[in-house]
Amino acid sequence: GAGVSQSPRYKVAKRGQDVALRCDPISGHVSLFWYQQALGQGPEFLTYFQNEAQLDKSGLPSDRFFAERPEGSVSTLKIQRTQQEDSAVYLCASSTRTDHGYTFGSGTRLTVV
Amino acid sequence: EDQVTQSPEALRLQEGESSSLNCSYTVSGLRGLFWYRQDPGKGPEFLFTLYSAGEEKEKERLKATLTKKESFLHITAPKPEDSATYLCAVQALKGGKLIFGQGTELSVKP
């Protein structure tokens, strides 16, 4: 597609549920990033892939968060046993190179109740 | 520690009233400084990348400048459609991640 596609756009989860958020990057983009954005704040880095390799996962807040990109294109961010503090917008971005401007998707708004 | 601070947090302008947004940064070797625009309910939209002190880039009513410690986003004769949150981010020489500031929410009234 023409842009970065994220699904679902909105997700409501009960506390303790597992969720999976999907990102379809722009075709051919090597680099893929996940960010978390709380209301009124700037995006916070979660993790980074180059092709299928996860090169940096230093921003993942706990071992409940897991990301994968098995074939170097689509990526999934999984959150196990969701907590209220996980409520945020999860943004995915892709780029041809890490020093180019990234293209962001519209995000998935996760609300944990 | 690499960090970015933006000011002001919010800015209200009248249409045509020029102003500047500030982005102060500390980074262990700058690879690039990025400006993004974010509209409500959408992801950030790329505006500019600046790589070295003294560099300037322009796009319509926006002009971004860079020094060794800060960047400015100058808005000339803004229009209501320029209303958005403007985000600044830095990328260090080591690693690919962007470190964002908290953003400046710009509101332009007709």
Side-chain angles (χ1 to χ4, degrees):
Chain A
V4 177
S5 178
Q6 292 188 247
S7 61
R9 284 284 283 124
Y10 303 93
K11 176 69 178 178
V12 178
K14 291 185 177 179
R15 193 173 56 181
Q17 272 187 331
D18 297 348
V19 298
L21 312 180
R22 178 187 170 104
C23 173
D24 282 88
I26 293 173
S27 179
H29 276 197
V30 169
S31 301
L32 186 146
F33 295 79
W34 283 98
Y35 285 83
Q36 180 190 61
Q37 187 173 26
L39 192 64
Q41 300 297 314
E44 295 273 350
F45 171 78
L46 293 176
T47 187
Y48 158 50
F49 290 86
Q50 189 162 313
N51 295 307
E52 68 278 3
Q54 190 173 18
L55 298 186
D56 187 348
K57 55 181 181 180
S58 62
L60 296 175
S62 76
D63 58 7
R64 297 186 295 105
F65 287 71
F66 173 76
E68 60 183 6
R69 193 186 185 198
E71 297 179 356
S73 56
V74 171
S75 178
T76 304
L77 177 67
K78 297 180 179 178
I79 309 173
Q80 297 178 324
R81 304 181 303 282
T82 52
Q83 304 293 317
Q84 278 197 312
E85 59 263 29
D86 300 335
S87 296
V89 174
Y90 291 85
L91 294 165
C92 176
S94 71
S95 176
T96 52
R97 285 166 43 180
T98 55
D99 59 346
H100 278 143
Y102 308 152
T103 302
F104 280 84
S106 293
T108 294
R109 180 176 295 277
L110 173 65
T111 304
V112 181
V113 298
Chain B
E1 182 184 349
D2 300 339
Q3 65 178 20
V4 176
T5 303
Q6 291 187 245
S7 62
E9 289 188 6
L11 181 61
R12 300 180 70 162
L13 300 174
Q14 288 296 124
E15 185 171 3
E17 181 187 359
S18 301
S19 188
S20 296
L21 281 56
N22 177 264
C23 171
S24 297
Y25 66 91
T26 55
V27 65
S28 51
L30 180 69
R31 177 182 288 184
L33 184 140
F34 297 75
W35 282 99
Y36 283 84
R37 168 191 172 128
Q38 187 172 28
D39 293 295
K42 296 191 176 181
E45 176 188 345
F46 173 72
L47 293 173
F48 306 107
T49 309
L50 301 168
Y51 295 101
S52 57
E55 189 175 0
E56 299 182 351
K57 287 193 176 172
E58 288 188 66
K59 180 180 180 180
E60 297 179 359
R61 295 176 292 283
L62 300 177
K63 178 179 172 181
T65 62
L66 181 65
T67 73
K68 288 187 177 179
K69 294 183 179 181
E70 58 191 350
S71 177
F72 291 94
L73 185 65
H74 307 277
I75 303 176
T76 302
K79 298 183 178 182
E81 53 262 41
D82 295 322
S83 297
T85 294
Y86 290 85
L87 295 164
C88 171
V90 296
Q91 184 182 47
L93 287 171
K94 281 189 177 181
K97 67 184 179 185
L98 296 184
I99 299 165
F100 282 87
Q102 79 277 23
T104 293
E105 185 177 358
L106 174 66
S107 174
V108 182
K109 300 297 183 186

